[in-house]
Amino acid sequence: MVRRYYLQKGPCRPNHNFPTKDVEGRLRSFKASWYKKYHWLEYSIAKDAAYCLHCFLFRSDDGRKGGGASFISTGFKAWNRGDEALDNHVGFVNSEHNKAVRKCEDLLTQSQSIRVALCKQSDQVKKDYRIHLQASIDCIRHSVRQGHALRGHDESESSKNRGNFIELLKFHAFGRVDVHSVVLENAPKNLQMTSPDIQKDIVHAIAYEITKEIICDIGEDLFSILVDEARDTSIKEQMAVVLRYVNQEGYVMERLLGIAHVSDTKALTLEMEIESILVTSGLSLSRIRGQGYDGASNMSGEINGLKALVLAENSSAYYVHCFAHQLQLTLVAVAKQHGDVSGFFTLITNLINLVGGSCKRMDNIRESQAAKVVEALCCGELETGRGLNQEVGLKRPCDTRWGSHFDTLLNLPVIYSSVIDCLDIIKKEAKGEAKGEASVTLICIQSFDFAFILHMMIKVLAITNELSKSLQRKDQDIVNAMQLVRGAKLRLQDLRDKGWESLLDSVISFCKKEYLPISNMDELYILSGRPRRNAQQITNLHHYKVELFYTVVDMQLQELNSRFDEVNTELLCCVACLNPDDAFADFDKEKLLKLATFYPNEFSIDDILHLDPQLDSYIFDVKMNTRFTKLKGIAELCREMVVAKKFRSFPLVYRLVKLALLLPVATASVERVFSAMNYVKNTLRSRMSDEGLNDFLVGYVESDILDRLDDECILQTFQDMKTRRGSL
């Protein structure tokens, strides 16, 4: 079984920058071309040595004679006589190597095994087994697609609920004579196909086929990695690896390669686990052209961070700090550094805890709001229609996602009067701390200061919220992300220059509607709780306009400028010249030639010489073509070059476009994996194994690939994993 497993995986053949060593005065190294000539050859990065997979699995004492041991135990390293030594190892027809090859072929041919030869299964038995296995795969495929648990608490025949898998299998067989006659109680007692091991094997076969589809989609192309770690429900640190690549149709794809348990979050541990996941899938660090992580020191550290370790292995694996994470940091900085804004969000949190902590109180808000909507409809203040006047509640924001505060603040003005009514009820009926908290909260939110900061933060967060959603798109490219950041800065600057009057009007209108006090902008501003004799010699206009509005917007702009400093790096400035916006207005041939020098493995000196005239032909051609002059973003340019077959006419330019798209923008895809992990591995499934979690998550996250998987591939993969009682 172990030998069959290794044979099915095939020899380990990493794409690697093979190290050279001095042999007789000349630099020698392992040659990747040997992979094609010798199907049995595998290479170890750790030992810088070559091995024979077949001889290793079926070794013999005779095979170790005459230098054969180097391909079995010590490893072959004599690169100066590589072809000769490899041919000698193969030898003649009856050599020990060829005997080992024939043994491997016999092992993989299940129809020739002793078990099958003894059983001599009839065609009908094989047909029944196929129907049974197909039904099991269909049921498990559906459960993986929906993220449902397979096993039940009690799967005995007397149980009323035997778990999702068995119950779904019963439902699947209902009304289908061919399936019903071969499953569950009608199946052979030694071939029930309902054990947990069978279920795990089928899930593993599904995950294996999905991963194979992803690897085939990448082909021989380059890719980037997005990595992050998080705790699961069983308090295990899990690391997820997502690949970002451009497929053959020119679309940017972000796919989950795998998730693995790590003993700690040290950079070296993460780097070793990433390399292990890549090598298992037939990939290597040498093909990475971009890294995307958050800003934690173990990930982005310049000396000992994961970024530095990968760059030491591959200098072209350029790191980009997650744009969405940087935006998150700007919002946190403003919320914490400005005293009034910090106090405002603390008040919002207390309000949600006070009102949203009780079902009865939330029901009071819903009933009060429903009554007000009906009254407004009767008075003609609201319009009726599909999708209008939906039930609105107070959403609890996420502590680690400050953009989620926008939805909370956006709903608050709509249900403000209902919240006031609810607080009044709490103040009158509650006892103890809740009564006092309701009184204080009621005073605070019925002030002009609260109304002003509420509407100001809605306007500021509206701009950053749109930016956050755009950055989290899977197909977002780095150039468009840079433009979105610049656009957000311009909108904030425009809000600062022209938004004061509209903001003040909206605040005053809200105060009039809700009967709140309105501050006179010409009077002196008096800090709450301070006697008038200690009043600052500033007007309300100066306080609200300068100390609040201007200061908050300026802080937001300053944080955006400091956090997104990497948009000014030379690499990204060169990438921006590929942007097709405004009929290729940013095109700069010199910068694009400079961009090619950042990738020496993809552009040799000869390639750069050919790229120069090709860029001239390319820009002339696309500017004359109306299909290209209306494009927006590099992602659209890449797809259109594939559709119009321009990638064949301008292969070097297309190579630049793909490299630009590989630069990661955000790690949102990894965050989505962790959200799926919390759904799949919940408290009721906390004992799920690490391998089972990986297999289940791959199928659940990459459901679109699962939907188009061929059943026959899953059948064959499952059958080849180990020796089965049944035969297809």
Side-chain angles (χ1 to χ4, degrees), residues 144 205-215 256 695 698-700 702-703 705-706 709:
V144 171
I206 290 173
Y208 175 83
E209 287 299 319
I210 290 176
T211 303
K212 189 167 74 171
E213 285 287 323
I214 295 173
I215 301 303
L256 172 63
D695 293 340
V698 169
Y700 180 66
E702 303 301 341
S703 56
I705 300 180
L706 174 60
L709 273 185

Side-chain angles (χ1 to χ4, degrees), residues 680-718:
V680 169
K681 190 176 181 178
N682 51 41
T683 53
L684 296 178
R685 305 168 71 183
S686 60
R687 293 194 296 173
M688 180 183 288
S689 67
D690 295 330
E691 183 180 4
L693 175 62
N694 174 75
D695 293 340
F696 217 103
L697 267 182
V698 169
Y700 180 66
V701 173
E702 303 301 341
S703 56
D704 58 325
I705 300 180
L706 174 60
D707 290 341
R708 63 175 185 264
L709 273 185
D710 185 9
D711 287 338
E712 189 62 31
C713 295
I714 302 175
L715 282 166
Q716 291 297 333
T717 300
F718 169 80

Side-chain angles (χ1 to χ4, degrees), residues 287-334:
R287 293 171 63 182
I288 297 176
R289 291 299 176 268
Q291 308 176 64
Y293 320 126
D294 59 22
S297 59
N298 67 323
M299 307 295 278
S300 60
E302 295 292 339
I303 300 176
N304 295 320
L306 176 60
K307 173 188 76 172
L309 294 178
V310 176
L311 282 172
E313 293 281 338
N314 180 3
S315 60
S316 298
Y318 296 106
Y319 166 73
V320 178
H321 187 178
C322 171
F323 273 43
H325 185 261
Q326 293 182 81
L327 179 62
Q328 166 81 0
L329 295 176
T330 66
L331 300 175
V332 172
V334 173

